[in-house]
Amino acid sequence: ALYQAHCTQCHGPLGDGQTPLAATQKPPPANFHAPSAGAALTPYRVFNTVRFGVAGTAMAPFPNFSETERWALGF
């Protein structure tokens, strides 16, 4: 539910990063199906990305999510 509500606009409902909004972002959002992105994704990395965002990208932090919510997105 969190992913659907907060992430699909950029990452897409399937996590492929193919959305109209994503097409306007430089750099584009991560495609979670790409081998280069998938190999680097760990629950810990997702947890921290959701908490702190990614500098130089459109990936904003979500500091209001609880730890449980961030771990849920990571897993």
Side-chain angles (χ1 to χ4, degrees):
L2 284 172
Y3 182 86
Q4 291 298 320
H6 299 280
C7 309
T8 58
Q9 299 85 353
C10 295
H11 294 286
L14 301 176
D16 60 7
Q18 301 298 309
T19 70
L21 182 57
T24 69
Q25 297 172 339
K26 302 291 185 232
N31 172 353
F32 301 134
H33 298 281
S36 59
L41 287 178
T42 64
Y44 181 74
R45 184 168 180 187
V46 174
F47 177 95
N48 283 305
T49 298
V50 171
R51 173 61 183 98
F52 298 109
V54 178
T57 74
M59 180 63 206
F62 290 85
N64 294 330
F65 285 4
S66 70
E67 281 195 25
T68 300
E69 290 169 324
R70 290 192 294 270
W71 282 120
L73 285 169
F75 283 99

